[in-house]
Amino acid sequence: MPSLKREALVALVTAVVISGIWLATTRQVRKPQNSSSAIPRREDGKPDFSGIWQANNGANWDLLTHGPRPMVGQSGVYSDVPVLAAPVVALGAIGWVPPDLGVVEGDEIPYQPWAAKRKQENLANWLDRDPEIGCFKPGVPRAMYMPYKFQIIQGTMKVLMVFEYAGAERTIHLDQVAPYPVDAYMGHAVGHWEGDTLVTDVSSFTSETWLDRSGDFHSDALHVVERYTPITRDAFRYEATIEDKNVFTRPWKISMPIYRRLEPNAQLMEFRCQEMAEETLLGHLRKNQLVKQWEGRTMRVEVTRTVPPGNAVYERHFSGNPPTRQ
């Protein structure tokens, strides 16, 4: 009988120990999703940013904190209270820019005095000047927070980014490469690792891109340093320090999370928008006007083309981004 009691006691102790080990193992396996082990990594131990991503904020409308405003406005009954202007009046509530908090550190863009005036002029002439409307390549950093998906394909020495908007793409070189022979819309990016953060140095820009839909601009002296830091397996923090001695008084920084698209069939769709912008940019060249009016239940919107003088009649884009580096 005593031996049976001893065997029962041993069995009980063994069961308790096994249960404790199982519980401890279970706790280890079920680590929080924001732990470092939840971050996908490559064989060399570096974070793997491969996947389809999208920003979820209002930065493409305005990098700074902003309230609701018309996409295109004009003075209403009161001079300081704008209403929707003719080009978008039929859009109603859809024609307003949604409010959002800014992504700029300190919520201020340090323009030189002349450039601050130019930014306001760009905003007032948004429909004529924003390169996004004409389907031009978005540039950096704007491509990262436009309201379109993008895909990262990460290799050992190259990181390729493909953007849904306008079929834009860029390569971050992790190896030594020769500088680009000409300026480019998406710039020339060289990267390196600082721990788990991918740091890129981007230069060789054209002056033909904007930073948002609010007229924020730069010159071809733009220099951007980006930082990609994983937060969880499904989000990373994107930071960009922006420097342009021709336009700003000092470097300034933006920061935001960017999220993985989690649909099982997530993929980039084609949005090659050149033909979508053809009538907007070149419709004034038609012998017989194509778009003349639109009539709805409560209004009729008339379209009258104006023809720019001289060679400007053939220009696809009016730059709001002086000066050009000599």
Side-chain angles (χ1 to χ4, degrees):
M1 184 68 69
S3 62
L4 291 176
K5 288 183 178 180
R6 280 197 300 273
E7 290 176 5
L9 181 60
V10 170
L12 178 61
V13 171
T14 302
V16 171
V17 170
I18 292 173
S19 298
I21 293 173
W22 182 84
L23 287 172
T25 304
T26 303
R27 290 193 185 98
Q28 289 176 355
V29 170
R30 295 179 180 176
K31 287 185 178 180
Q33 285 297 301
N34 61 355
S35 67
S36 59
S37 65
I39 298 169
R41 294 184 181 272
R42 296 177 53 81
E43 291 183 358
D44 59 5
K46 299 299 183 186
D48 189 352
F49 291 100
S50 296
I52 294 178
W53 305 86
Q54 190 170 2
N56 184 21
N57 58 43
N60 192 52
W61 277 112
D62 197 330
L63 290 170
L64 300 175
T65 299
H66 57 278
R69 67 168 186 262
M71 291 181 185
V72 182
Q74 65 182 45
S75 295
V77 176
Y78 305 100
S79 60
D80 59 342
V81 180
V83 297
L84 293 173
V88 295
V89 65
L91 293 178
I94 298 174
W96 286 71
V97 176
D100 206 351
L101 297 175
V103 298
V104 178
E105 190 175 85
D107 207 27
E108 178 188 6
I109 298 177
Y111 280 110
Q112 297 176 20
W114 75 267
K117 294 178 182 178
R118 185 67 173 195
K119 175 257 168 48
Q120 292 303 321
E121 182 185 324
N122 284 343
L123 177 58
N125 294 277
W126 171 60
L127 277 181
D128 277 335
R129 297 187 181 182
D130 188 347
E132 181 189 356
I133 292 173
C135 190
F136 289 84
K137 304 297 182 186
V140 176
R142 189 177 186 181
M144 303 300 298
Y145 47 82
M146 293 184 79
Y148 302 91
K149 302 184 292 294
F150 65 92
Q151 184 168 5
I152 299 178
I153 304 167
Q154 183 174 333
T156 304
M157 304 308 296
K158 308 284 184 184
V159 178
L160 175 64
M161 293 186 181
V162 183
F163 299 88
E164 200 167 62
Y165 172 81
E169 59 183 54
R170 59 185 295 222
T171 299
I172 299 172
H173 304 279
L174 300 177
D175 54 349
Q176 297 228 345
V177 294
Y180 281 8
V182 295
D183 292 342
Y185 279 93
M186 304 301 289
H188 174 56
V190 178
H192 68 275
W193 292 96
E194 293 182 5
D196 279 351
T197 298
L198 174 61
V199 182
T200 76
D201 189 289
V202 197
S203 58
S204 298
F205 289 103
T206 73
S207 64
E208 300 300 314
T209 64
W210 277 10
L211 301 174
D212 57 21
R213 293 173 179 169
S214 292
D216 289 305
F217 72 103
H218 60 85
S219 76
D220 61 354
L222 177 66
H223 174 223
V224 180
V225 176
E226 303 171 292
R227 298 179 66 87
Y228 301 77
T229 304
I231 302 173
T232 70
R233 66 176 297 107
D234 297 323
F236 66 85
R237 179 156 297 280
Y238 176 74
E239 298 173 296
T241 300
I242 298 164
E243 182 180 11
D244 186 334
K245 62 182 180 181
N246 291 346
V247 176
F248 309 115
T249 60
R250 58 173 172 81
W252 51 284
K253 188 172 81 171
I254 64 173
S255 177
M256 68 189 73
I258 295 180
Y259 303 95
R260 186 188 302 274
R261 292 293 296 259
L262 295 176
E263 301 91 332
N265 61 340
Q267 58 186 292
L268 299 190
M269 306 294 285
E270 187 174 51
F271 194 76
R272 302 189 65 84
C273 49
Q274 289 85 352
E275 62 272 20
M276 303 174 190
E278 181 178 283
E279 184 62 29
T280 300
L281 300 179
L282 302 174
H284 61 277
L285 296 176
R286 292 184 184 276
K287 184 176 181 180
N288 296 313
Q289 187 176 342
L290 180 65
V291 179
K292 298 180 180 180
Q293 68 179 38
W294 175 86
E295 187 169 351
R297 186 174 65 87
T298 61
M299 71 184 69
R300 174 186 293 173
V301 179
E302 304 284 350
V303 178
T304 302
R305 291 286 185 181
T306 57
V307 180
N311 289 333
V313 69
Y314 302 109
E315 292 178 357
R316 292 185 61 237
H317 175 56
F318 176 83
S319 175
N321 308 6
T324 299
R325 185 172 55 209
Q326 301 298 322

